[in-house]
Amino acid sequence: MLQVKKATVDYQENPLGIATMQPQFAWDFETGKSKQTAYRIIVADNARDVQNGVGNVWDSGIVQSEACCGVRFAGKTLQSAKEYFWKLFVQDEETRWSESIVQTFETALLRAEDWKGAWTSMPLQFVGGSLRFRKVLDLPVNKKISKARAYVCGLGYHEFYVNGKKIGDEVLNPSVTEYAKRVEYVTYDFTEQLEADKPNVVAFELGNGWYGTRELKAQFYVYFDDGSVYEDHSAPVHGWFVSGSPLIDNSIYGGEIYDARLEDKYPLNWATRDYEATLSNGWIFSIVSNAPIATLEAQSINPIRVKDEYPVIGIVKKSDNVFVYDIGQNLAGWAKIKVRGQRGASVTMKFAEDLTQDGYANQLNLRSARCSDTYILRGGSVEEYEPKFTYHGFRYVQVEITGEAEVLELVAKHVHSDVRIAGTFNSSDATLNQLHKNAQITELNNLHSVMTDCPQRDERFGWLNDLSARLYQTVYNCGMERFFPKFIKDIAHTQRGDGAIADTAPYYTGGKPADPVCVAYLLLATLSYQYYGDVRVCEEEYQGFKAWVDCLLTHAKDYVMDYYWYADWVPPECFKDVKTDGIYISTVFLYWHLKLLVQLAEIVGNAVDVKVYAEHLENAKDAILDKYFDKETANFSTGTQTENALALWLGIAPKQYAQKIADNIYADVVKRGYHSTCGNVGYRPLFYVLSDYGYTDAVVKILQNPEYPGWGFMIANGATTVWERWENEMQNVMHSFNHPMFGSYDAWLYRYLGGISVDDDAFGADKITLKPYIPEGIDFVDCSFETIRGTIVSKWKRQEDGNVAYHVEIPPMTKAVVEFGGEKHTLDCGVYTFISKI
């Protein structure tokens, strides 16, 4: 009998602040052989009705379907700031019904007119530091509080306090967006922090963040058992006060300066009822600020949190007042310190990814970014400090002390968007295992509400040209069901009237139109459908996808593109004879765009566009073959690894020439001592086609190779993250050591050595293929991948008798094709073991 394991609304359990009129329901099951044949969802505005099986807001009725994701609400119009109750019923093949527990979802402010608060700030005072806001809520007495909600947009970043206690464990809120188009607000539950029949203080601290200044808009609702509601809003005066703080400087690139001596003026209890804000103690009335021209939308992406801590593994004393701390891992985040010393002494932490030859923090690659935090001591007992409104990319922390002070403890905090870890990989090879670890943590380091290129220098932008390869490992390593739709919207908000999107999202730099390699706009949507069952994002953004492809077509003559900016970015510099044609790359990516648009048109049910763009697709293929394919040599363009691999992987290459093209690629790899000559768009297809056409051992050799240039070279030089460039000597212009664009070898580890792939025509990972490749020199691989339906396990091991044992676990409501030992099996949910001579 089916047993519901987890049920979600918009991929969250019991979410607050749902911002859509059509939320999506999804669920999975405990492992078992039973299959769903039907479902029923009921939604009510009270718990009693749902408990009694009544959906007074929506009753889907019995739906004969195996669908367990992407089921959209279709009931009465949802109301703003309202809690709804729901229950799921599912039926198996034997017509037995089971049900979930009663769950809830709560809407955000769904209409623009719901916003009554004013934008407030104090732009003429306290420049550079953080701003603090506070107000006393005078709640009615003799009433029992049932719940309390706050809807807060505090730009650039904010923290929310009630009676001195921070609400939630999120940091760096809200998420970064295209601020000219939208800003996001956060829904908070602050019920537990309120006290009845007492004054209650609501307070905020705002840093500059990516927005570059500090503005607040907030609304508060306190609900009582008798049905009455107290509400209050941000406003000029009306009890709202604003002040500066001991945090006298903060910026993303620069870091923070915190002067604890100013706690005499701005005490630590500033957000409590024990403290009174007055004009005589440094507070002034808040004033109306210019409202952002953007729309307000509820934040739906995973918030950023402190996800881990790293202790120091070594300290080197460089002088009496300079110490270099080694965290042992390159990461994104900050350091927390405990210090003791005289009043006015200071501790400055300088962050770096590497050391100079004489052992100091090497900040050469940070360019103009200061990347330091300074704490000025108040004096007396042990003091603690960690930043609030910045983050750094670093392995090393150089501590410089001025005056009489000592650092008692330093610990690194790992900070990133709180996505679930989706995949695991382990093998008998230490280099491959370290490469996997490096790829996974590099991805996490660069998820900061935007898919950034790096976390350390004066950049940290959402470069789209990096993503055509990167996204393939992203979906294996991280659960991106909430992240992708937000980032797709960021891209859409860079779009011009002619359909052109920008190279970066949000748009900070780069060209517009973007380089044609920026296929990520469409790819993010197809992956959202394929892996997470999200039709909604495909429908909502379809016209934007189409407009971008149409824009590219205007830059093509006979389907050959007329421009490129980056093409196959950052190939190894040592291969001077490799000259991959940028126009060819753009032209092949036009083909890929057309291929994805046909797929998206099919998903949204647009038969006319399917026909139109399928014709464009065939014409583009013919144009590439006519202009770039040499039948005699079986090479595309100049025959580089990237040029041949892209055409072969995308299905442009004629089938009768496919093996010969792969042989050419392999021969070039061997000729170059098992090195890739590819840049950021070519290496992943290179690995895929080498395995597809019989050369898996060559990919392993490329990855293991400790000689420059390559991934094994990174490991041989102590890398704990993936590098931007192939050289290990730090450069000023462009040299990040924490850069995920070259990390999609990890997708190859999952797909080929681990054998796990989600089929191209899957919906929410309902169709998978399990087909491990068994290379020489690898004795075992243990791999898993958590889909929205459950966890796939795929692991194999060589036996003493020469056989290979293969163990697989298939989650419920998933159809798997298992290819192993020359045999093919089509299987449903279950645990299976195969043994074969390989």
Side-chain angles (χ1 to χ4, degrees):
M1 186 173 179
L2 289 169
Q3 183 177 350
V4 177
K5 182 179 180 181
K6 181 175 66 176
T8 64
V9 179
D10 282 356
Y11 306 104
Q12 303 171 72
E13 294 183 87
N14 302 310
L16 285 180
I18 292 293
T20 175
M21 293 292 192
Q22 281 193 311
Q24 298 185 116
F25 297 88
W27 55 93
D28 62 7
F29 300 100
E30 299 290 350
T31 300
K33 290 290 185 180
S34 297
K35 290 180 62 176
Q36 175 188 302
T37 59
Y39 70 83
R40 177 186 173 216
I41 296 172
I42 59 172
V43 179
D45 57 12
N46 65 91
R48 180 177 298 176
D49 274 358
V50 168
Q51 289 166 348
N52 292 332
V54 177
N56 69 347
V57 175
W58 183 45
D59 189 333
S60 69
I62 296 174
V63 181
Q64 301 295 327
S65 172
E66 294 184 1
C68 59
C69 62
V71 177
R72 276 185 278 185
F73 174 84
K76 297 178 181 178
T77 301
L78 297 177
Q79 303 301 306
S80 290
K82 188 170 182 62
E83 185 177 28
Y84 292 92
F85 302 81
W86 73 286
K87 181 184 277 192
L88 167 71
F89 303 85
V90 291
Q91 184 188 62
D92 65 13
E93 309 100 317
E94 299 181 28
T95 68
R96 297 175 298 185
W97 285 91
S98 57
E99 60 189 61
S100 71
I101 61 172
V102 176
Q103 297 190 84
T104 64
F105 67 92
E106 191 171 309
T107 54
L109 303 180
L110 300 176
R111 300 180 301 272
E113 56 266 30
D114 294 329
W115 283 97
K116 304 171 186 177
W119 284 100
T120 63
S121 185
M122 181 43 67
L124 307 178
Q125 183 64 286
F126 316 119
V127 176
S130 66
L131 286 183
R132 289 174 172 176
F133 297 78
R134 60 169 274 155
K135 183 180 182 180
V136 178
L137 300 182
D138 292 318
L139 302 181
V141 297
N142 300 321
K143 289 193 175 192
K144 185 176 180 181
I145 298 169
S146 60
K147 68 176 184 179
R149 299 290 184 264
Y151 304 93
V152 180
C153 184
L155 299 173
Y157 290 136
H158 71 266
E159 293 194 342
F160 175 37
Y161 301 86
V162 175
N163 296 324
K165 297 179 181 178
K166 182 184 171 184
I167 306 301
D169 58 356
E170 304 93 336
V171 298
L172 305 179
N173 248 345
S175 59
V176 182
T177 57
E178 187 74 25
Y179 292 122
K181 296 293 182 67
R182 83 183 193 281
V183 293
E184 295 191 337
Y185 67 91
V186 182
T187 303
Y188 292 99
D189 177 355
F190 65 105
T191 310
E192 295 300 316
Q193 285 72 32
L194 287 179
E195 295 185 53
D197 302 327
K198 292 182 179 180
N200 287 272
V201 176
V202 292
F204 300 92
E205 186 165 7
L206 272 60
N208 294 311
W210 284 95
Y211 190 64
T213 188
R214 305 138 305 168
E215 293 187 283
L216 173 68
K217 190 169 191 173
Q219 296 189 182
F220 310 93
Y221 298 86
V222 181
Y223 301 84
F224 300 95
D225 279 1
D226 63 4
S228 61
V229 181
Y230 170 93
E231 64 178 277
D232 205 337
H233 319 118
S234 55
V237 196
H238 291 293
W240 281 94
F241 285 89
V242 60
S243 78
S245 79
L247 180 54
I248 59 175
D249 184 56
N250 72 98
S251 66
I252 297 296
Y253 296 156
E256 293 189 356
I257 300 174
Y258 186 96
D259 189 345
R261 295 173 299 181
L262 293 177
E263 290 171 0
D264 295 342
K265 182 177 182 180
Y266 307 115
L268 295 175
N269 69 342
W270 67 276
T272 71
R273 69 168 62 92
D274 296 330
Y275 178 82
E276 182 180 5
T278 67
L279 297 175
S280 62
N281 62 5
W283 293 78
I284 52 180
F285 297 125
S286 63
I287 66 171
V288 173
S289 63
N290 293 325
I293 60 175
T295 58
L296 269 167
E297 295 185 12
Q299 179 168 288
S300 58
I301 193 175
N302 321 63
I304 297 172
R305 291 187 170 97
V306 175
K307 293 300 298 176
D308 206 352
E309 294 187 358
Y310 284 79
V312 172
I313 66 168
I315 306 173
V316 176
K317 182 177 180 180
K318 305 299 292 183
S319 67
D320 288 343
N321 63 345
V322 178
F323 304 82
V324 176
Y325 291 72
D326 183 1
I327 306 303
Q329 173 64 56
N330 200 357
L331 52 81
W334 54 68
K336 178 180 179 179
I337 54 173
K338 290 183 179 180
V339 298
R340 181 171 55 209
Q342 292 183 351
R343 184 178 180 83
S346 67
V347 175
T348 295
M349 295 177 282
K350 294 182 177 179
F351 297 88
E353 295 185 289
D354 205 353
L355 301 176
T356 61
Q357 289 186 348
D358 53 359
Y360 289 90
N362 190 347
Q363 293 190 314
L364 176 65
N365 65 335
L366 303 182
R367 303 188 300 213
S368 68
R370 187 183 70 206
C371 294
S372 67
D373 296 323
T374 296
Y375 180 78
I376 303 172
L377 280 70
R378 64 177 175 268
S381 60
V382 174
E383 306 172 40
E384 295 185 3
Y385 164 75
E386 64 180 299
K388 294 179 179 178
F389 301 126
T390 190
Y391 76 97
H392 312 285
F394 66 101
R395 172 175 172 169
Y396 299 96
V397 184
Q398 182 168 305
V399 173
E400 299 177 358
I401 300 173
T402 301
E404 295 296 322
E406 61 176 331
V407 175
L408 305 175
E409 182 180 80
L410 184 149
V411 61
K413 301 289 188 76
H414 192 199
V415 180
H416 57 81
S417 293
D418 188 11
V419 297
R420 61 183 172 86
I421 303 301
T424 65
F425 177 88
N426 187 39
S427 75
S428 60
D429 187 87
T431 297
L432 297 183
N433 294 342
Q434 186 64 48
L435 283 171
H436 162 67
K437 179 182 177 184
N438 288 7
Q440 189 172 75
I441 198 167
T442 303
E443 182 63 45
L444 293 172
N445 289 339
N446 284 281
L447 296 178
H448 272 253
S449 76
V450 169
M451 299 188 74
T452 61
D453 60 333
C454 58
Q456 76 294 89
R457 67 183 179 219
D458 53 356
E459 198 164 350
R460 314 183 204 185
F461 300 145
W463 279 100
L464 303 187
N465 68 310
D466 292 353
L467 297 183
S468 68
R470 173 182 171 183
L471 289 172
Y472 286 86
Q473 67 79 16
T474 305
V475 292
Y476 276 116
N477 280 315
C478 304
M480 302 295 283
E481 55 270 17
R482 295 172 60 193
F483 200 115
F484 279 177
K486 182 268 181 189
F487 195 54
I488 291 171
K489 186 174 289 188
D490 290 337
I491 300 172
H493 282 168
T494 74
Q495 196 164 37
R496 288 192 316 219
D498 64 354
I501 62 171
D503 278 318
T504 56
Y507 186 29
Y508 287 109
T509 190
K512 189 186 285 192
D515 190 296
V517 301
C518 295
V519 74
Y521 188 26
L522 280 68
L523 184 57
L524 285 159
T526 56
L527 292 173
S528 294
Y529 178 88
Q530 180 184 356
Y531 282 78
Y532 311 124
D534 193 341
V535 182
R536 186 176 66 195
V537 71
C538 300
E539 293 177 345
E540 290 178 348
E541 304 295 342
Y542 177 75
Q543 292 303 321
F545 303 147
K546 180 179 173 181
W548 168 229
V549 174
D550 287 344
C551 175
L552 289 174
L553 286 169
T554 67
H555 288 274
K557 182 178 181 181
D558 297 326
Y559 297 95
V560 176
M561 294 297 295
D562 64 5
Y563 81 101
Y564 73 93
W565 310 129
Y566 312 106
D568 195 27
W569 187 240
V570 197
E573 294 180 348
C574 58
F575 300 117
K576 303 298 184 183
D577 61 318
V578 176
K579 304 292 183 183
T580 296
D581 184 345
I583 292 295
Y584 168 82
I585 296 298
S586 290
T587 301
V588 168
F589 269 80
L590 171 62
Y591 176 87
W592 192 1
H593 274 90
L594 290 165
K595 190 173 185 178
L596 290 174
L597 187 60
V598 170
Q599 185 179 346
L600 286 163
E602 291 173 342
I603 289 170
V604 304
N606 191 325
V608 173
D609 281 358
V610 169
K611 183 178 180 180
V612 169
Y613 289 96
E615 184 176 342
H616 281 307
L617 181 66
E618 286 306 309
N619 292 339
K621 181 177 182 179
D622 291 342
I624 293 169
L625 291 173
D626 289 345
K627 182 174 179 61
Y628 290 108
F629 184 57
D630 185 332
K631 294 180 181 179
E632 291 187 9
T633 63
N635 282 315
F636 281 84
S637 189
T638 65
T640 66
Q641 293 176 15
T642 288
E643 291 166 340
N644 280 336
L646 275 171
L648 191 53
W649 177 75
L650 282 169
I652 299 170
K655 291 183 179 180
Q656 65 270 32
Y657 293 94
Q659 188 61 56
K660 177 57 178 172
I661 296 168
D663 294 344
N664 288 343
I665 296 171
Y666 172 69
D668 193 71
V669 167
V670 174
K671 169 187 168 183
R672 299 179 188 280
Y674 291 95
H675 288 288
S676 163
T677 64
C678 302
N680 69 339
V681 303
Y683 75 97
R684 185 199 57 81
L686 169 72
F687 292 169
Y688 279 32
V689 299
L690 282 173
S691 278
D692 287 340
Y693 290 90
Y695 298 114
T696 294
D697 288 353
V699 181
V700 174
K701 290 179 180 179
I702 293 171
L703 291 174
Q704 292 174 329
N705 194 338
E707 301 298 323
Y708 168 83
W711 292 267
F713 177 75
M714 297 180 193
I715 301 302
N717 282 270
T720 62
T721 43
V722 183
W723 299 351
E724 177 182 24
R725 302 180 63 91
W726 305 103
E727 297 77 29
N728 64 339
E729 296 85 7
M730 185 178 290
Q731 303 177 40
N732 174 258
V733 176
M734 190 186 77
H735 205 153
S736 159
F737 290 94
N738 198 340
H739 221 85
M741 72 179 181
F742 281 120
S744 236
Y745 59 79
D746 211 31
W748 179 85
L749 293 178
Y750 281 105
R751 182 184 178 102
Y752 290 93
L753 295 197
I756 300 174
S757 62
V758 175
D759 294 355
D760 290 342
D761 62 345
F763 172 67
D766 63 342
K767 289 182 276 188
I768 64 173
T769 298
L770 302 176
K771 183 183 177 181
Y773 289 65
I774 317 295
E776 291 294 328
I778 307 297
D779 294 327
F780 73 86
V781 166
D782 188 341
C783 191
S784 73
F785 176 50
E786 183 186 0
T787 75
I788 61 171
R789 297 170 186 270
T791 301
I792 303 165
V793 174
S794 174
K795 55 185 179 181
W796 56 264
K797 185 176 183 180
R798 296 185 187 274
Q799 307 291 294
E800 291 183 0
D801 60 6
N803 289 323
V804 175
Y806 183 40
H807 173 90
V808 302
E809 297 176 18
I810 303 166
M813 306 306 296
T814 304
K815 183 74 70 176
V817 173
V818 179
E819 296 187 43
F820 182 73
E823 297 182 351
K824 182 182 290 189
H825 309 269
T826 300
L827 302 171
D828 291 316
C829 171
V831 178
Y832 306 90
T833 299
F834 307 88
I835 297 178
S836 180
K837 191 81 172 179
I838 301 297

